[in-house]
Amino acid sequence: MNKRTKAMIGLGVAFLGTLVLAACAPVNQENERLHGQGYTVVIRFDQNGGVVASAGNMNVFDRYHEDDVERGVKLLEPGDADRGNVAHKSIVSRRGYFLIGWYREIYPSILLDGSGNAVLDEKGNEIPLDEDGNRCNIEQYITDEKGDFILKDPEYDANGNIIKVDPEYDANGNLLNGELFATELVSVTGKTQAFSFGGRWDFEKDICTLEDVTQTDEKGNTYYEMTLYAAWAPNFSYSYWYEAEGGEWVQYGTSTLPADRDSIAIPSWNESAGTMSYPNNAMKRSGYTIEGVYADKEMNQPFTDVIPHYGETDLETGTAKNTIVDCYTTWRAGDWYHIRTAEQLVNNFTASGSYEIYNDITIPENDNKIYWRGNLANFTGTFKSADNNVYTISGIASSQTSSNDLTVGGVFGSIGSGAVIENVNFENISFNIENDTTRMGGNYGLLAGRIEAGATFRNVHVSGTIYLGDLPLNTTSGKNDGYAIGLLSGNTPLHNDIVGEEEIAVRSQQVPLRDSGNNTFNGWAVIGTVGVDGYVTVTANPTPKEDPNPTTGTN
C-alpha cells in the first residue's frame, strides 16, 4: 500500500493499517488529523446491504493524500491482500448473495416476477393477480428526469383489475399521484435485484484522479470524495419441485450453485454402493427415490448428464438474470437400493428400505464384516427381485441369544403391515434360539417372529433350519412357556402365499448341560416337534447326550 494512503474501517471500530481505535470519537479525531495533513480525498465503500468482516456496524473508507490523487492512484478493493494484516477486516459479504463488483452509480430497479411483470405497488404491497393469474404490466412505470423508476398510481375496476392512469405533476414538475418504487426486496419467486448500477470500477486498470472525486457542496465549497456501491446478486440457485396429488407442483427444496461450477450432476445410481447419489441433500425427499429431473412441468425436457445453470451476470449494469433454475422431479415411493452383493445388502439394510435384487446373493458364514442385521427390525419396506426375475438369497443366519434380547425373532424380527416381499427365494437360512425365553412372551420363526396382517408375499420360497437351545418346555399344546415358535413365524406358522414350509427343519442345538452328578457336558437339551398347524412344541430330550433326528415341518 502506498505509504501516503490511509485505509480505515468507519463507525469507530478499527483503522485498517497501523492504528486500532475503539470509539467513534477517536475515529473522528483521527479523520480530522489526517485531513489536516493533506489526506483530503475520501473513498467510501457502500456495502449496500452487505456487512464488513461479518459485523453490521462497520463501513470501509480510505483516505488518500491530495497530491497522490492528483498524479493518479490505484484504489484497493475491500479485502485486497495488499491491505496487509488488516485485509481480512475489510472483507464485505452478504448472506445469500454474491458480489458482482463496485460501481459509481446506483439506480432503483423494478422488482419483477418470473414473467417480467411488476410485483409490488408504490406502497410495497404485492400487486394482486387478475382472474387469469396475470399481474399488471411493466408499462405502469415511468422514468423521471433522474432516471429513477416511478410507479403510476393504480386504480382498480370492479373485478380487481388495474386501470392504468397517467401521472399528474405540480407546477414544479413534481409527481402528484405516484412515488419512488420501493427498493426493499420481498420474498417472491423469480425476484430480481433491487438496484441496477453504472460506472463499474476496475481495480486492476482504473486510475483514480481528482477529476473522479471532485464535488461541490451547497455553499459552493469543493471537496474530494467518491462512493463506490456494492452490486449484489442473489446466489445462482436451483429450486426443486414435485407433483402432488391433484397435479399441483410443490417446491420442496433449494440449493446454491457452487461458485466454481456452471452445472450440477443429475442423480444417478452408485452401483458399487447400491445407492442413489444426489448432487446435494436439498434434492432428496425422505421416503422416496428420484427417477427423473426435467426442465419443464410437462416433463418433455429431461436433464441427462448434468443440470446446467442459465444464470448470467451483466458487468455493465451490475445485475444478474436467470438466477433460479427450476427442476421438476419424478419419484418412486420408497428408499430404494440396487443390490448385487452381500456387502450391499447388509450395509444398506434398514427396516423401511426397499431392495431390488439383481442377482443371486450368498451371505458368507462367520464373516465379522458381513453379517445380517434384519433380525432386529420390524420390516415395513419392499424386498423383490429386479425385472420380474426370481433371485435367491442364501446363507442368512440370525440368533436369539438371551431372554432379554428380542420379543420377536427370525431372519426378520417381524414383517409389518405394508411390507412387500416378491419373487425371492430364501434358501439355507437359519435362526438359532439359543437361550431361555420365558420372560419374553415372544414369537419366533425362521422367516420372522411375527407376520402382521397387511404384509404382502408374491412368489416367495423359504427353506432352512430353526435351531433350539436350552429352552423351557411345553406347557400347552402347540405353545410353550411364555413364547410361541412357528415354522415361518410365531403368530403365522404357515402362510398361504409362502411355499417351502416342508423344507424347514427344526433341530436341537448342542449346549452346555449338567448330568445328575453335576458334571458338565455338551448335549442336546430339547426336541422340537412340528405339528400339522406349523407350531413347534418343545419337549425334553430323554437322551441329552445324543443328537435327536431333525424334525421336518408339514403343511
Side-chain angles (χ1 to χ4, degrees):
M1 182 188 299
N2 188 306
K3 65 180 181 180
R4 300 183 70 185
T5 301
K6 300 294 183 180
M8 309 171 69
I9 287 185
L11 292 187
V13 178
F15 289 102
L16 292 183
T18 58
L19 299 176
V20 179
L21 301 177
C24 288
V27 170
N28 292 334
Q29 293 170 7
E30 180 66 7
N31 267 319
E32 293 176 3
R33 186 182 69 82
L34 292 172
H35 191 278
Q37 294 178 357
Y39 292 93
T40 58
V41 180
V42 179
I43 306 299
R44 301 186 184 278
F45 294 91
D46 186 327
Q47 55 259 38
N48 187 27
V51 295
V52 180
S54 299
N57 62 341
M58 294 191 292
N59 294 296
V60 177
F61 59 95
D62 297 336
R63 277 190 173 274
Y64 292 85
H65 199 283
E66 182 178 334
D67 294 343
D68 291 333
V69 178
E70 187 174 15
R71 290 188 293 268
V73 296
K74 274 190 174 183
L75 304 182
L76 289 179
E77 185 173 7
D80 193 301
D82 286 345
R83 291 179 180 266
N85 61 0
V86 291
H88 66 284
K89 295 181 179 180
S90 66
I91 295 174
V92 179
S93 62
R94 185 176 180 185
R95 184 182 297 273
Y97 290 76
F98 68 92
L99 181 66
I100 298 176
W102 294 90
Y103 292 79
R104 298 191 62 180
E105 300 170 350
I106 183 171
Y107 317 108
S109 294
I110 296 174
L111 191 62
L112 307 179
D113 62 17
S115 301
N117 294 322
V119 173
L120 304 180
D121 64 17
E122 76 280 5
K123 295 180 180 179
N125 299 316
E126 185 173 353
I127 296 173
L129 303 176
D130 62 23
E131 59 184 6
D132 297 322
N134 299 316
R135 298 186 194 273
C136 72
N137 190 275
I138 198 171
E139 293 175 358
Q140 275 198 268
Y141 291 87
I142 62 171
T143 304
D144 66 11
E145 66 278 2
K146 296 180 181 179
D148 294 329
F149 289 106
I150 299 174
L151 178 66
K152 300 175 185 179
D153 194 14
E155 295 181 1
Y156 300 90
D157 62 20
N159 297 320
N161 298 318
I162 293 175
I163 302 173
K164 299 176 183 177
V165 297
D166 293 326
E168 297 179 3
Y169 298 88
D170 62 19
N172 297 318
N174 297 317
L175 189 68
L176 294 176
N177 63 339
E179 56 188 70
L180 285 178
F181 179 76
T183 58
E184 291 295 324
L185 287 175
V186 294
S187 179
V188 178
T189 300
K191 66 175 179 287
T192 62
Q193 293 163 249
F195 301 97
S196 61
F197 301 84
R200 181 174 183 270
W201 194 267
D202 188 330
F203 291 92
E204 294 294 325
K205 299 179 181 179
D206 289 346
I207 302 297
C208 181
T209 66
L210 288 180
E211 183 180 355
D212 297 311
V213 298
T214 301
Q215 298 192 52
T216 304
D217 63 19
E218 296 177 352
K219 297 180 180 180
N221 299 316
T222 299
Y223 64 100
Y224 303 121
E225 186 172 306
M226 179 172 69
T227 299
L228 295 178
Y229 299 92
W232 302 99
N235 287 334
F236 289 171
S237 63
Y238 293 93
S239 180
Y240 305 117
W241 302 77
Y242 73 90
E243 189 174 11
E245 292 184 11
E248 177 186 3
W249 284 94
V250 177
Q251 182 184 12
Y252 70 91
T254 61
S255 68
T256 299
L257 177 73
D260 59 345
R261 303 277 297 278
D262 59 7
S263 65
I264 58 174
I266 63 169
S268 60
W269 283 102
N270 180 343
E271 299 299 354
S272 63
T275 58
M276 175 64 73
S277 294
Y278 295 83
N280 53 67
N281 288 332
M283 188 180 282
K284 296 180 179 179
R285 288 179 65 204
S286 178
Y288 293 86
T289 303
I290 200 164
E291 290 189 315
V293 186
Y294 298 82
D296 61 321
K297 295 179 180 179
E298 295 72 28
M299 292 175 285
N300 294 323
Q301 304 173 48
F303 292 110
T304 52
D305 297 329
V306 297
I307 306 175
H309 202 287
Y310 309 111
E312 298 179 10
T313 301
D314 186 339
L315 295 180
E316 183 176 348
T317 62
T319 58
K321 61 181 181 179
N322 302 325
T323 59
I324 300 174
V325 171
D326 289 315
C327 301
Y328 301 95
T329 57
T330 56
W331 298 85
R332 182 183 189 185
D335 292 317
W336 283 90
Y337 300 86
H338 286 180
I339 303 301
R340 291 177 169 82
T341 68
E343 292 88 342
Q344 291 174 348
L345 180 58
V346 299
N347 290 339
N348 292 315
F349 186 84
T350 65
S352 59
S354 297
Y355 303 90
E356 209 156 34
I357 312 302
Y358 280 79
N359 45 248
D360 295 336
I361 293 173
T362 300
I363 306 296
E365 186 176 1
N366 299 322
D367 190 317
N368 291 331
K369 295 182 179 180
I370 306 174
Y371 59 93
W372 180 247
R373 302 176 178 86
N375 62 309
L376 300 177
N378 176 32
F379 185 70
T380 58
T382 300
F383 210 94
K384 60 178 291 187
S385 296
D387 304 323
N388 292 318
N389 291 308
V390 179
Y391 291 112
T392 298
I393 310 296
S394 60
I396 295 178
S398 58
S399 299
Q400 158 77 0
T401 58
S402 73
S403 297
N404 296 319
D405 194 1
L406 300 170
T407 57
V408 289
V411 168
F412 296 96
S414 61
I415 299 176
S417 177
V420 176
I421 300 179
E422 182 177 9
N423 291 336
V424 179
N425 296 328
F426 294 95
E427 292 186 359
N428 191 29
I429 62 177
S430 64
F431 179 57
N432 188 348
I433 312 175
E434 297 180 8
N435 296 102
D436 185 348
T437 63
T438 56
R439 294 193 295 269
M440 301 304 298
N443 290 272
Y444 307 95
L446 180 60
L447 186 61
R450 289 184 59 85
I451 297 177
E452 297 181 1
T456 300
F457 300 90
R458 302 186 189 96
N459 195 21
V460 177
H461 180 276
V462 177
S463 65
T465 304
I466 299 173
Y467 293 97
L468 306 179
D470 189 8
L471 302 179
L473 305 181
N474 175 68
T475 57
T476 305
S477 177
K479 302 294 173 75
N480 300 292
D481 188 7
Y483 65 97
I485 302 174
L487 288 179
L488 290 172
S489 74
N491 72 318
T492 309
L494 304 176
H495 198 289
N496 292 333
D497 297 323
I498 302 174
V499 298
E501 292 100 330
E502 72 278 1
E503 300 174 43
I504 298 176
V506 179
R507 61 167 299 162
S508 182
Q509 175 75 11
Q510 196 173 33
V511 294
L513 299 173
R514 292 181 183 274
D515 60 19
S516 58
N518 205 30
N519 298 309
T520 300
F521 68 97
N522 289 327
W524 294 263
V526 299
I527 296 175
T529 304
V530 182
V532 293
D533 58 0
Y535 279 109
V536 178
T537 300
V538 179
T539 58
N541 182 6
T543 55
K545 293 185 179 181
E546 298 179 9
D547 184 4
N549 294 325
T551 302
T552 301
T554 57
N555 284 313

